[in-house]
Amino acid sequence: MTSDESSLSTLYQHRFDDADLASKAATGSILSEDYFSRWIHPDDPVLDLGAGSCAFINAVHAHRRLAVDLNPDTKEAAEPGVDVHLTRSDEMTGIETDSVDVVFSSNFFEHLPDPDALMATLAESRRVLRPGGRLLVMMPNIRYVKERFWDYVDHRLPLTHDGLVEALELAGYHVDTVVPRFLPYTVRSSYGSAPASSLKVYLRLPWLWRVFGAQMFVVAESEC
């Protein structure tokens, strides 16, 4: 294990306890079933970029499931059948060109060191996507998160939805859907002591998003 991999493992073991991980898994399952499924077909190969605890990729119904992360704990978190690649987001070693229909990324781009790393990651995501494939991105929107963005020591790249759209267009994507205010900022603060199933109600009431949403959600297509 490299020092970077060890640091990631230590950081996230400190940040999320078992209850947090269970909440993330429940949230991932509901989002996958009730919202993201409109962009993901059961016969799609799907790649989770910055998969972490695999809350999304474990839940999604897809023909082939891939997880990319540098944290070695991702291998332990992944369910059987999930193909885990411990590799960089800007150099996805072992993943073929034009091999997936959907790249999904949740709460990952803000951890990249700078805009150059973002552009390199978008280019690599476009490489592995088939022409017309979809990139789904959920991440904090600095316009609404504001100073809370810096509550996490590994947050480095603040973006608004306008900045993310600009980056995607420069990288050769066609932006299809932009939701500036989607989910609340964190799993811990999103629903308090309410069960994760309350997310089902939240997703049906978009007016609540405009009140509580601090994460953006953007869908873009890889141009042919």
Side-chain angles (χ1 to χ4, degrees), residues 91-161:
E91 189 177 351
M92 294 190 229
T93 305
I95 300 176
E96 297 178 353
T97 299
D98 299 342
S99 62
V100 300
D101 288 310
V102 177
V103 171
F104 175 83
S105 180
S106 172
N107 298 106
F108 173 65
F109 286 173
E110 67 270 23
H111 300 279
L112 295 172
D114 52 44
D116 289 341
L118 174 64
M119 297 307 296
T121 294
L122 292 177
E124 183 69 349
S125 296
R126 191 178 177 204
R127 179 188 70 79
V128 303
L129 277 170
R130 293 173 179 166
R134 298 168 296 281
L135 173 62
L136 281 58
V137 180
M138 187 170 71
M139 65 175 293
N141 189 332
I142 191 67
R143 184 172 298 177
Y144 305 112
V145 174
K146 301 187 185 300
E147 66 275 2
R148 290 181 298 154
F149 182 86
W150 306 109
D151 287 348
Y152 299 92
V153 68
D154 56 336
H155 280 191
R156 301 176 181 178
L157 184 61
L159 288 169
T160 68
H161 55 284

Side-chain angles (χ1 to χ4, degrees), residues 55-111:
F56 166 77
I57 201 65
N58 283 348
V60 72
H61 299 291
H63 171 68
R64 183 184 176 203
R65 297 180 294 168
L66 301 92
V68 169
D69 206 294
L70 284 176
N71 187 344
D73 294 342
T74 300
K75 279 188 172 291
E76 301 299 321
E79 289 185 349
V82 176
D83 184 13
V84 178
H85 295 256
L86 299 180
T87 187
R88 294 168 55 95
S89 64
D90 58 356
E91 189 177 351
M92 294 190 229
T93 305
I95 300 176
E96 297 178 353
T97 299
D98 299 342
S99 62
V100 300
D101 288 310
V102 177
V103 171
F104 175 83
S105 180
S106 172
N107 298 106
F108 173 65
F109 286 173
E110 67 270 23
H111 300 279

